[in-house]
Amino acid sequence: MLRALPSDAIRYYHIAGHLKQSDESLLDTHGKPVPDSVKDLAHYVYRLHGSKPLLLERDHNVPPLVVLSEELRQIYADVSTPTRLTSSVKQGEAYA
């Protein structure tokens, strides 16, 4: 599915944290830090479609700007690093 998307149609990426309610249920809260599993999937998408602007969405529980800026800097570093290969990235290939 992700591999089928035309890269030139993607203008930016959206990333956000979620609340894990159970092993089967995630709630897209936009109020938590972005977990590694989401960063791993984003890294996989960067590998498929290249570098694009990255939007970090936080709708509530917004930390001070300096903390938010550091979170975004770390997310970008994690997502754009060519050597970030984890089991979650390999699992991301299931979305390809």
Side-chain angles (χ1 to χ4, degrees):
M1 183 171 90
L2 293 174
R3 190 171 288 150
L5 295 171
S7 296
D8 60 344
I10 300 170
R11 299 292 178 242
Y12 68 94
Y13 301 115
H14 165 123
I15 196 165
H18 59 266
L19 177 63
K20 184 174 181 178
Q21 294 183 308
S22 70
D23 286 342
E24 296 84 31
S25 177
L26 302 176
L27 181 61
D28 189 13
T29 62
H30 298 173
K32 299 273 188 185
V34 177
D36 284 341
S37 60
V38 173
K39 289 188 261 185
D40 291 343
L41 182 57
H43 173 76
Y44 176 74
V45 172
Y46 263 60
R47 286 179 34 218
L48 285 176
H49 296 292
S51 181
K52 312 233 184 233
L54 177 67
L55 170 72
L56 170 60
E57 187 165 352
R58 286 303 271 291
D59 294 339
H60 62 89
N61 295 331
V62 180
L65 183 58
V66 66
V67 174
L68 193 62
S69 296
E70 177 56 25
E71 181 181 359
L72 184 56
R73 188 203 61 75
Q74 187 60 55
I75 289 168
Y76 183 77
D78 289 345
V79 167
S80 62
T81 300
T83 57
R84 184 181 178 93
L85 294 175
T86 67
S87 61
S88 295
V89 169
K90 291 174 188 159
Q91 290 171 4
E93 293 175 2
Y95 296 100

